[in-house]
Amino acid sequence: MNIIVSFKQFFNDLRRQKLRSLMTMFGVFWGTCSIVLLFAFGKGIMEQQLISQKGIGDNIAIFWPGITSKEFKGLPSGRRIRPTEDDIRLVKSKAEMVMRISPEFSRSALLKVGKNSSSRRVHGVWPEFGAMRNVIPAPGSRFLNAADERERRRVIFIGNLLKEDLFGEDEAVGQTMLVNGMPFTVIGVMQEKNQDSSYNGRDSRKSYIPSSTFNAMFSRRYVGNFVAQCDPKVSMDMTRAEILEILSTKYKFDPTDREALSVWDTTEGFAFLKNFFMAFRIFLVGIGVATLITGGIGVSNIMNVVLEERTKEIGIKMALGARKSVILTQFIVETLLITGVGGLFGFVFAYAVVKAVPMMGLTEFIGVPEVDVTGGLIVVGLLAIVGLFAGIFPARRAANLQPVQALKLF
Amino acid sequence: MQEIIRLKQVKKAYQTGEMHFEALKGINLVVNKGDYLAVVGPSGSGKSTLMNILGCLDLATSGEYRLDGELVNTLSSNQLADIRNKRIGFVFQAFNLLPYATAAENVEVPLLFAHVNSKERRKRVTELLARVGLADKMNNKPTEMSGGEMQRVAIARSLANEPEIILADEPTGNLDSKSGAAIVSMFDELHKAGKTILIITHDMSIAEHTERLVTMKDGLIESNGDLSGRRVG
Ligand SMILES: Nc1ncnc2c1ncn2[C@@H]1O[C@H](COP(=O)(O)OP(=O)(O)O)[C@@H](O)[C@H]1O
Ligand SMILES: [Mg+2]
């Protein structure tokens, strides 16, 4: 019953307070919209960066042969340190913190499919390489496996752009292609990925064959480089130290010699990025809080501006027999409706913007923004609470007065 | 005669900062059903204070207020709201209409609080406004009406739930004499219809219409006379 009274009152009141209601709604609209957009884009951008960064692989370090820069146990500096595939096997068997490891041999080769040909790098790697370096097979295909390696199969896994260069739109898996004139069966095509860092070019135009096959064809004594992935529970620093310890014992160099093997630890960049995004997130939350405070002040200001006339109105209604609960219900319904409508519009508007942006083709830089429904609801909820506090406390104060006091207050 | 209002040693004190002020110093008053009573007295003598207490718009500091035998002092705020809604109609000097609502909507307000259904509400509002001669101003807002018309809307509103008692605090105070006279004749009619009416006024010509005259001074009732004899004579 009270609710019905309240609705009738509410619509009467809304009409009078057109401007106030609109302003309040706009405040809530604006707050909701800007925060939803802020978070949607912030999250999109962050995730895009993380995806790109992860394109090269998670928790990995890449090691290249180097030249010692320090004397060690009577041995001069300037010696070349070049690990072999056996050394990588040694590290694999001894290092406890290494989760995956693979040598990587590579050379340029002429790749041919029918009339199409391309001169690209071919890499000889172990099966672990794929998972470690985030070289993921597209559906319906696979990466190199242990049997390929063991039996020196002439199988090849190709990057998605290389596949397009050679096969166009045609199916590649199961087809034969020539590598320097030798026939290879395509077993897999890489799933498209974002990659913002690389060595020897992006993975999308590389091809991979078993390292055993590679050495049967090109017989290399030393690995071109090797890639190690550490257990996520330990740090890459410790893992690197462990690897260097094993290799320095074998090749007799100072394990602290940074040039004996050159290392690219991708987790360093990642750590930077993580810190950067932490700061970015704090910044976003800061702006969000500031927006909310501003919006809240706006909402409560508008609510308070009319306290004078509202108190008189409350006095009149009480004089005519309104119970306290009727008056409070009216204020609650009013505030919730105003914030609800404003919030809904803000949300819908932000949603539309978020949906429209990917159509403008900026995905590579800002990612695909995504509306955080929970976040949006929290914002609307907070503004509603601010509105309730701003609107209901004065209303409650007024409703607790004797009618004559409310009538005379101003 | 049936008694409807009884005040016993009613006092009202105001505390403003350090200042303690006794606006009513012990009022004793009995009003019977159907009484037509004028309250007169100098400004600041406590007339409005008394009327507000009678209308349950304010509470006495001490003393007893019985309405139909029921002790008002001890009622809950909801019970007081219901009394204001159904048993007492209040007419203010300043009209106190809701400025954004039409005449009809203003009259409707007490009916809303009484949970009267919308069909009945529409019927009653139309009747009430016709009764005060404003059938053609139903949809006018207060800003589109004269003072006399606004006060007639206020009277219609005070009658919405058919209260037994009408309290009016200087109802003609903001009106020219012609509009004021129209309002007074409206009270005369309500009196004939059996309502109990109390009017505060400065205007002795209004007091001449009533049957009882209460004179106040300094928070006390100075005289309490029956004029009906004079009127008959
Ligand atoms: N809310 C209040 N606070 C303090 N003093 C008040 C208040 N209301 C009325 N008074 C004082 O009480 C006295 C009686 O006022 P009131 O009943 O309005 O007189 P009247 O209606 O007879 O002119 C006046 O002196 C007035 O100043
Ligand atoms: Mg007065």
Side-chain angles (χ1 to χ4, degrees):
Chain A
M1 279 294 228
N2 277 353
I3 299 287
I4 296 164
V5 173
S6 199
F7 267 108
K8 172 86 192 177
Q9 291 283 320
F10 171 67
F11 287 113
N12 284 346
D13 291 355
L14 259 198
R15 253 186 336 180
R16 175 204 45 174
Q17 302 159 16
K18 260 181 231 142
L19 186 64
R20 180 180 84 97
S21 308
L22 279 177
M23 299 260 294
T24 315
M25 261 183 221
F26 185 76
V28 179
F29 164 84
W30 190 249
T32 312
C33 185
S34 51
I35 289 182
V36 169
L37 283 179
L38 207 61
F39 278 87
F41 281 95
K43 213 172 151 205
I45 291 170
M46 274 196 285
E47 269 168 15
Q48 184 65 16
Q49 293 301 321
L50 291 177
I51 287 168
S52 302
Q53 178 73 18
K54 278 181 176 170
I56 197 168
D58 256 344
N59 290 328
I60 63 169
I62 300 140
F63 299 73
W64 283 270
I67 298 171
T68 59
S69 63
K70 293 182 183 170
E71 292 177 10
F72 186 68
K73 295 190 174 161
L75 293 166
S77 62
R79 288 177 303 125
R80 295 179 74 176
I81 304 297
R82 291 182 289 180
T84 64
E85 191 166 7
D86 279 338
D87 295 335
I88 309 307
R89 290 197 187 96
L90 176 74
V91 173
K92 186 178 175 171
S93 65
K94 287 182 98 174
E96 283 167 2
M97 290 182 241
V98 172
M99 195 164 74
R100 294 194 181 98
I101 192 165
S102 168
E104 186 171 6
F105 301 92
S106 79
R107 60 162 289 159
S108 182
L110 186 67
L111 309 176
K112 257 184 104 165
V113 175
K115 280 191 248 96
N116 298 338
S117 69
S118 180
S119 203
R120 293 285 172 195
R121 293 196 83 81
V122 174
H123 298 248
V125 298
W126 291 353
E128 290 97 310
F129 186 90
M132 180 165 55
R133 280 273 283 94
N134 209 18
V135 176
I136 309 296
S141 68
R142 67 171 178 87
F143 194 68
L144 306 168
N145 65 24
D148 297 333
E149 177 67 27
R150 201 168 52 237
E151 297 167 16
R152 289 183 203 159
R153 288 180 186 166
R154 285 223 281 264
V155 291
I156 188 163
F157 180 95
I158 58 180
N160 53 306
L161 293 179
L162 179 60
K163 183 257 164 195
E164 280 176 28
D165 294 345
L166 294 174
F167 292 91
E169 293 297 303
D170 298 343
E171 179 61 52
V173 176
Q175 302 299 307
T176 301
M177 62 185 268
L178 298 177
V179 177
N180 281 356
M182 302 278 262
F184 275 73
T185 304
V186 178
I187 53 163
V189 177
M190 188 178 83
Q191 188 167 353
E192 190 183 343
K193 69 171 176 180
N194 281 308
Q195 178 184 2
D196 69 348
S197 48
S198 62
Y199 53 94
N200 294 341
R202 300 283 149 111
D203 296 341
S204 52
R205 284 210 161 83
K206 288 179 181 171
S207 57
Y208 298 96
I209 63 175
S211 86
S212 55
T213 315
F214 188 97
N215 280 303
M217 280 174 76
F218 306 115
S219 57
R220 290 288 171 82
R221 232 177 118 186
Y222 306 110
V223 302
N225 58 274
F226 64 95
V227 183
Q229 186 173 41
C230 69
D231 189 317
K233 291 190 286 289
V234 300
S235 77
M236 183 50 96
D237 279 346
M238 284 160 65
T239 313
R240 277 164 60 184
E242 191 184 24
I243 293 170
L244 287 176
E245 188 61 46
I246 295 165
L247 292 175
S248 67
T249 310
K250 174 157 182 192
Y251 289 100
K252 298 192 173 54
F253 63 85
D254 184 340
T256 63
D257 186 345
R258 299 195 137 262
E259 290 172 34
L261 287 172
S262 55
V263 184
W264 175 25
D265 181 347
T266 64
T267 62
E268 281 170 358
F270 208 65
F272 166 77
L273 211 62
K274 270 186 182 154
N275 288 338
F276 177 76
F277 281 136
M278 182 53 84
F280 191 57
R281 204 168 281 153
I282 291 169
F283 173 71
L284 279 188
V285 170
I287 290 187
V289 169
T291 311
L292 265 186
I293 290 174
T294 320
I297 290 173
V299 170
S300 67
N301 250 346
I302 296 165
M303 289 287 194
N304 270 308
V305 158
V306 287
L307 180 61
E308 177 174 329
E309 88 187 274
R310 300 233 84 178
T311 303
K312 174 132 193 178
E313 172 192 321
I314 289 170
I316 293 174
K317 286 179 178 168
M318 286 197 295
L320 299 176
R323 290 182 172 197
K324 215 184 286 178
S325 57
V326 169
I327 284 166
L328 291 180
T329 310
Q330 185 200 335
F331 271 80
I332 292 169
V333 170
E334 191 178 310
T335 311
L336 291 183
L337 251 139
I338 287 175
T339 42
V341 170
L344 189 73
F345 274 112
F347 201 76
V348 167
F349 186 80
Y351 192 83
V353 169
V354 163
K355 286 293 152 198
V357 159
M359 292 178 213
M360 301 192 300
L362 298 166
T363 314
E364 204 184 322
F365 308 104
I366 60 173
V368 179
E370 214 176 300
V371 170
D372 183 348
V373 177
T374 326
L377 286 179
I378 290 173
V379 172
V380 177
L382 284 177
L383 285 173
I385 289 170
V386 171
L388 282 179
F389 271 77
I392 286 181
F393 278 105
R396 224 175 70 123
R397 217 179 322 131
N400 277 330
L401 297 172
Q402 291 301 320
V404 71
Q405 291 172 304
L407 280 171
K408 270 204 249 174
L409 205 58
F410 292 99
Chain B
M1 250 187 282
Q2 200 186 336
E3 171 183 314
I4 191 161
I5 288 170
R6 175 179 284 272
L7 298 183
K8 197 167 130 195
Q9 279 304 308
V10 164
K11 294 184 182 175
K12 179 71 184 179
Y14 290 113
Q15 188 77 41
T16 334
E18 293 286 283
M19 290 278 291
H20 183 84
F21 180 78
E22 213 166 42
L24 297 179
K25 295 174 177 157
I27 301 287
N28 296 300
L29 179 70
V30 175
V31 179
N32 293 317
K33 239 175 208 159
D35 270 0
Y36 194 10
L37 185 153
V39 181
V40 296
S43 189
S45 58
K47 304 182 296 294
S48 294
T49 305
L50 172 64
M51 201 64 118
N52 291 335
I53 288 170
L54 289 175
C56 298
L57 298 175
D58 207 354
L59 293 174
T61 313
S62 67
E64 267 182 33
Y65 170 18
R66 281 179 193 279
L67 182 65
D68 261 340
E70 190 175 24
L71 195 58
V72 168
N73 310 50
T74 60
L75 297 179
S76 71
S77 80
N78 279 347
Q79 287 170 314
L80 292 173
D82 291 347
I83 290 177
R84 294 193 291 268
N85 186 231
K86 299 196 181 70
R87 292 166 66 188
I88 297 174
F90 210 103
V91 178
F92 300 90
Q93 178 175 359
F95 321 132
N96 282 339
L97 298 178
L98 296 175
Y100 53 87
T102 62
E105 284 164 348
N106 267 293
V107 176
E108 192 183 9
V109 174
L111 297 170
L112 282 168
F113 297 142
H115 305 303
V116 175
N117 70 47
S118 73
K119 197 173 150 218
E120 179 70 14
R121 287 205 303 269
R122 214 168 311 132
K123 184 170 150 265
R124 295 260 283 274
V125 167
T126 313
E127 281 170 9
L128 286 161
L129 283 170
R131 189 161 163 191
V132 297
L134 289 176
D136 55 334
K137 298 263 160 109
M138 297 250 308
N139 297 316
N140 286 29
K141 298 213 172 154
T143 46
E144 300 156 350
M145 290 186 276
S146 69
E149 286 167 339
M150 284 195 268
Q151 196 60 297
R152 274 142 70 190
V153 172
I155 290 171
R157 181 179 68 179
S158 75
L159 297 172
N161 287 317
E162 290 168 20
E164 277 178 89
I165 303 168
I166 307 289
L167 304 178
D169 189 347
E170 302 200 36
T172 60
N174 284 4
L175 303 180
D176 60 82
S177 56
K178 189 161 159 262
S179 321
I183 297 295
V184 173
S185 64
M186 230 162 255
F187 284 116
D188 288 348
E189 264 171 48
L190 290 171
H191 166 59
K192 276 187 208 121
K195 302 275 183 208
T196 308
I197 299 172
L198 278 76
I199 302 179
I200 295 178
T201 185
H202 269 123
D203 186 346
M204 279 316 286
S205 69
I206 293 177
E208 276 168 19
H209 286 250
T210 64
E211 294 173 350
R212 281 180 64 188
L213 184 67
V214 168
T215 315
M216 289 189 64
K217 198 179 172 194
D218 293 335
L220 286 168
I221 291 182
E222 197 181 44
S223 73
N224 184 353
D226 190 342
L227 308 176
S228 52
R230 177 198 68 188
R231 295 247 309 198
V232 170

